[in-house]
Amino acid sequence: MKNTFKIIIAAIVFATLGSCSDEQNYQLAQAKGSFSILTPQTGASTVLTPALATNPAITMTWSAADFTTPTQVDYTVEIAVTGTSFAAITPAGTTTATNLTWSVADLNGAVLSAGLRPFTQGSIDIRVKAAVGSVVQYSNTINVLITPYTTALPTIAVPGNHQGWTPGTAAKLASAGYGQTNYEGYVWLDGGFKFVAPDNAGNFNWGNDDWGDDGTFTNKLRLTNEVNCNAVPAGYYRLKANTTALTYSQERTTWAIIGNGTPGGWGTDTPMTYNPTTRKWTVTVTLSAQSAPNDGMKFRANGAWTLNYGDTGADGSLDEGGTNISTPAGTKTITLDLSNPRVYTYTIQ
């Protein structure tokens, strides 16, 4: 029994000594000499694309940092927009090795966070911070040229009488793609409204570019000396605006389901109800089992085929004029969500 106690005490002593040794190493460590980034070279350039998001983008390597006490070194790669002297640092990866590889998606996210603009070549400063406890050493700084991307569609806000003329909380319209100015979306309107662009930080405020009617009320936009756009009766509208062609339109819509899987077949709409809190259209009905592409159902507006949505690909995402949607048998609640501009979805539950 005494021997057992001696073994336990010895183990505790050794563990304590080991812990003290680590702490002493951190306390005694001092930066010694310098270390350098080996790759990439200053001036290297890369264009990032979403199609290659999981592929390696850049592999960084550097010489080992030198400290007076041999112990584990923690490395953090830091980036900042060139010319800012690292006033705003974006951490872009940590490791205990002397190399780090970014995927295209990870590097894209880091440089966008640092402040580069999508689809525009920008220069990023890169350095490596080596740390042993609170003792820090930095590598040299290199700069590389990177063209990032975004998969988010550009948006403009629609403030107006319907929501208190507050751009920051207004519903949005989205363009068809980055650099394009043909905006579209669905908004509950009640009276006059305008279109407001984001500032460089992505915020929607008065003082940014904003467009209104040119005063003729013939659906023509103007950037300066404009007036509020056409005052409209309360309702759910499909809005379009082109800030290059300087045109806009508004189409009041009510929504329904139609098809041989629905109670009214292909001849009669089954109306849906709009919920202003959820900003979704819903209906609860008894469906019959019908399979796309020839049968099933679609969503359509205003009792006509001019504006309708189906689901080409059966992925839950709606396509204007798309393929019929298969219907399961039974009593189901169907939801139509047009609140996310150009990303329209539905559920059958």
Side-chain angles (χ1 to χ4, degrees):
M1 180 66 71
K2 290 182 180 179
N3 288 337
T4 301
F5 284 132
K6 288 179 182 178
I7 291 170
I8 293 172
I9 292 171
I12 294 172
V13 169
F14 279 120
T16 303
L17 288 175
S19 175
C20 290
S21 177
D22 287 341
E23 291 177 3
Q24 288 171 350
N25 283 343
Y26 286 134
Q27 293 171 355
L28 295 174
Q30 298 294 323
K32 179 182 177 183
S34 61
F35 72 107
S36 300
I37 295 172
L38 304 177
T39 61
Q41 300 295 313
T42 284
S45 64
T46 185
V47 177
L48 306 177
T49 60
L52 302 175
T54 59
N55 287 15
I58 293 176
T59 295
M60 282 194 61
T61 61
W62 54 89
S63 58
D66 194 3
F67 289 85
T68 53
T69 301
T71 189
Q72 177 179 295
V73 179
D74 297 315
Y75 296 101
T76 302
V77 178
E78 298 180 339
I79 66 173
V81 174
T82 297
T84 61
S85 301
F86 290 93
I89 295 170
T90 299
T94 59
T95 181
T96 56
T98 56
N99 60 83
L100 184 145
T101 299
W102 286 296
S103 71
V104 168
D106 288 343
L107 181 57
N108 189 69
V111 299
L112 288 177
S113 295
L116 293 196
R117 294 179 63 82
F119 306 109
T120 302
Q121 187 182 73
S123 184
I124 288 289
D125 286 344
I126 305 176
R127 69 184 183 186
V128 180
K129 180 176 75 172
V132 174
S134 60
V135 180
V136 171
Q137 184 180 177
Y138 289 96
S139 72
N140 62 315
T141 296
I142 65 167
N143 59 74
V144 297
L145 303 174
I146 299 175
T147 304
Y149 65 86
T150 180
T151 56
L153 297 176
T155 58
I156 56 175
V158 188
N161 187 65
H162 57 286
Q163 51 83 247
W165 294 99
T166 307
T169 59
K172 308 295 190 297
L173 309 185
S175 75
Y178 198 85
Q180 299 187 40
T181 58
N182 55 334
Y183 297 90
E184 174 193 297
Y186 288 87
V187 183
W188 180 272
L189 296 175
D190 183 7
F193 59 93
K194 296 183 78 173
F195 303 99
V196 176
D199 59 22
N200 288 336
N203 301 310
F204 295 90
N205 296 302
W206 295 117
N208 302 351
D209 283 349
D210 69 84
W211 295 266
D213 196 277
D214 70 351
T216 66
F217 298 103
T218 56
N219 295 109
K220 295 178 181 178
L221 291 176
R222 180 179 286 171
L223 182 60
T224 58
N225 300 317
E226 77 283 0
V227 296
N228 295 339
C229 292
N230 291 325
V232 294
Y236 194 73
Y237 289 81
R238 186 193 201 186
L239 277 183
K240 294 184 177 182
N242 192 312
T243 56
T244 299
L246 295 178
T247 59
Y248 73 101
S249 66
Q250 67 280 331
E251 178 184 6
R252 190 175 182 180
T253 64
T254 56
W255 287 89
I257 57 171
I258 191 169
N260 63 350
T262 71
W266 286 110
T268 304
D269 285 313
T270 301
M272 306 184 77
T273 301
Y274 181 67
N275 184 324
T277 301
T278 64
R279 299 192 296 163
K280 298 175 182 178
W281 294 82
T282 61
V283 64
T284 299
V285 293
T286 300
L287 302 174
S288 63
Q290 302 291 340
S291 298
N294 297 318
D295 300 298
M297 58 161 271
K298 297 187 84 171
F299 298 95
R300 74 172 185 173
N302 304 332
W305 288 108
T306 307
L307 177 57
N308 71 86
Y309 290 105
D311 183 3
T312 302
D315 57 3
S317 177
L318 292 171
D319 308 279
E320 187 169 351
T323 303
N324 296 337
I325 299 166
S326 296
T327 52
T331 300
K332 307 293 180 181
T333 296
I334 301 172
T335 300
L336 171 64
D337 186 356
L338 303 174
S339 63
N340 190 3
R342 292 191 185 270
V343 186
Y344 308 133
T345 59
Y346 70 97
T347 58
I348 302 176
Q349 297 180 331

